[in-house]
Amino acid sequence: MWLALAYETKALVSRNLGDSKQALDDMQLCMTHAEQCNDSDKVYIYTNYANTLYSEGKYSDARPWIEKAIQIKPLASQYVTLGKLFHLEGDTLQARLNWEKAVTMGD
């Protein structure tokens, strides 16, 4: 578990420093250890992996991970991200439905 969180933290730092390739590499390493984590950590890891993929323009790759996070613990911010992914993929109906869900949740 600690290894997944260490890679995830390293990825966030890399992303904040503008090194998106390193961030993606670190998140992929994180994901190899994520299943050992508790659900709370998985939500955080899956959401950050989706956001890393999103920032790399890998929208269709990001969507399953944000959906997995939502299955564990739905948060309004995740529905906002999911709406953005649908919008970028051209599915404006699903985008709107997810944004409306986010508004009604209001974390």
Side-chain angles (χ1 to χ4, degrees), residues 4 29-38 41-42 45-46 65:
L29 288 168
C30 170
M31 297 308 291
T32 65
H33 303 282
E35 288 303 315
Q36 300 167 17
C37 295
N38 62 41
D41 289 335
K42 283 180 188 175
I45 288 168
Y46 294 165
W65 293 106

Side-chain angles (χ1 to χ4, degrees), residues 3-107:
L3 199 51
L5 296 174
Y7 279 121
E8 191 267 343
T9 301
K10 186 173 180 280
L12 288 176
V13 170
S14 295
R15 197 165 83 203
N16 287 336
L17 293 173
D19 190 349
S20 58
K21 183 188 178 327
Q22 185 63 54
L24 186 55
D25 289 347
D26 290 336
M27 281 307 302
Q28 288 169 339
L29 288 168
C30 170
M31 297 308 291
T32 65
H33 303 282
E35 288 303 315
Q36 300 167 17
C37 295
N38 62 41
D39 281 351
S40 178
D41 289 335
K42 283 180 188 175
V43 168
Y44 188 68
I45 288 168
Y46 294 165
T47 300
N48 285 330
Y49 189 44
N51 287 332
T52 300
L53 291 165
Y54 173 90
S55 69
E56 287 294 298
K58 299 180 180 206
Y59 309 126
S60 61
D61 293 338
R63 191 159 40 94
W65 293 106
I66 201 71
E67 288 171 339
K68 281 182 87 161
I70 288 169
Q71 287 174 357
I72 297 169
K73 183 180 180 188
L75 302 170
S77 60
Q78 295 164 333
Y79 283 103
V80 170
T81 299
L82 188 56
K84 288 179 185 178
L85 292 168
F86 277 117
H87 177 72
L88 291 165
E89 292 176 340
D91 191 339
T92 55
L93 175 61
Q94 283 301 315
R96 190 188 77 209
L97 292 173
N98 280 282
W99 290 329
E100 288 173 355
K101 177 77 171 176
V103 169
T104 62
M105 291 180 74
D107 283 349

